[in-house]
Amino acid sequence: MMQQTSDKKWFDQLILELRLRQVTGHAIGDTIATAREHLSDTGQHAEQAFGPARDYAQSLELPHAPKNEWVRKALWPSLLGLLAFLIFNQALVSWVQSEPLLVSPAQLVLLALPVVLIAFLPLYLDAVIRRLWASIAISAMGALSGLLSTIVTPTERAEAWLAIEPLPWLIGSALIMVILSLRSTFWAPLTTPEDGITDPITGKNDSTTLGAKVFVQITNWLFPLLMLPMIAIALTLR
């Protein structure tokens, strides 16, 4: 039982390492199947046979996607969705209160911080995945900046750098979030082949399970889903 648990952890680490190297799902599936077959034949423990998962992944020459292709396909749309969501929240409060949207330089800096953190994610993605404290720190910085941006929102027109009509920004940001979600749901799967890990023996793909499909759709519609409680809260506090 101990060996099975240890081997499972080793294979999970191997998959993570190969994913970080942007190896294709098909190649990962072949690698996992080959390694399991070897362990079945020899009766060895995974780390005994192949060494640490990180070193083993580094030693393999496997096909991978173009470097940082995920930035163009996934990160930039997510970044645009986050920016639209932040603008939506600011415009919603002003619209509900029938007031102009007041903007200060400090507010813009704080709202830009989460966007900047995500924009530079490729530079420190490895640290965020490997170290829990780094992930917590980045999340805390983003949440704190959002909270502080609300606190520094100007209360008087004279204090604001800009005073704009909130409704066009509210509608525009909402449309952007919905369009991006529709793109992820219908257009992206047609232009990007599934990169789930396929077992070459059984033909099963880890992205075709019901749980995986539900998770993907929730992720695709995350910002529009978050809009609904924000609208409810704003109308309640009106």
Side-chain angles (χ1 to χ4, degrees), residues 25-231:
H26 179 74
I28 294 176
D30 286 344
T31 301
I32 298 299
T34 300
R36 290 191 186 281
E37 184 177 2
H38 176 80
L39 296 181
S40 178
D41 292 340
T42 63
Q44 288 180 291
H45 177 47
E47 192 154 355
Q48 290 176 334
F50 305 109
R54 187 173 183 178
D55 294 342
Y56 182 63
Q58 193 171 7
S59 70
L60 298 173
E61 292 292 337
L62 298 172
H64 55 80
K67 188 176 181 180
N68 290 333
E69 182 183 27
W70 67 276
V71 172
R72 177 177 60 84
K73 292 184 176 181
L75 183 60
W76 292 129
S78 298
L79 190 63
L80 180 58
L82 173 62
L83 182 60
F85 181 70
L86 294 173
I87 293 173
F88 176 86
N89 287 338
Q90 296 292 320
L92 177 63
V93 175
S94 298
W95 177 71
V96 168
Q97 296 176 347
S98 301
E99 297 175 351
L101 176 58
L102 303 179
V103 182
S104 69
Q107 186 181 10
L108 286 178
V109 170
L110 289 167
L111 286 175
L113 180 58
V115 177
V116 172
L117 289 174
I118 292 181
F120 286 93
L121 183 61
L123 299 180
Y124 55 85
L125 178 63
D126 191 84
V128 169
I129 292 177
R130 297 185 191 281
R131 297 173 178 83
L132 179 61
W133 65 264
S135 178
I136 294 175
I138 295 298
S139 300
M141 289 173 62
L144 183 61
S145 67
L147 176 62
L148 291 177
S149 69
T150 303
I151 295 175
V152 302
T153 300
T155 56
E156 302 292 338
R157 187 184 291 264
E159 302 173 354
W161 180 47
L162 290 174
I164 54 181
E165 174 61 38
L167 186 59
W169 292 88
L170 184 70
I171 296 174
S173 58
L175 284 175
I176 289 174
M177 286 185 281
V178 172
I179 290 172
L180 288 173
S181 295
L182 290 171
R183 172 191 176 277
S184 298
T185 302
F186 298 107
W187 182 77
L190 297 178
T191 58
T192 305
E194 279 193 28
D195 198 31
I197 299 173
T198 303
D199 188 321
I201 299 176
T202 65
K204 292 183 178 180
N205 187 301
D206 64 358
S207 65
T208 59
T209 63
L210 179 60
K213 290 180 178 179
V214 171
F215 176 77
V216 168
Q217 292 308 317
I218 290 176
T219 303
N220 289 342
W221 289 88
L222 179 61
F223 290 125
L225 289 174
L226 290 175
M227 277 197 307
L228 301 179
M230 298 304 299
I231 294 173

Side-chain angles (χ1 to χ4, degrees), residues 12-28:
D12 289 342
Q13 291 175 345
L14 178 62
I15 291 173
L16 173 61
E17 294 295 336
L18 294 176
R19 282 299 194 190
L20 286 174
R21 288 166 174 75
Q22 301 180 51
V23 175
T24 63
H26 179 74
I28 294 176

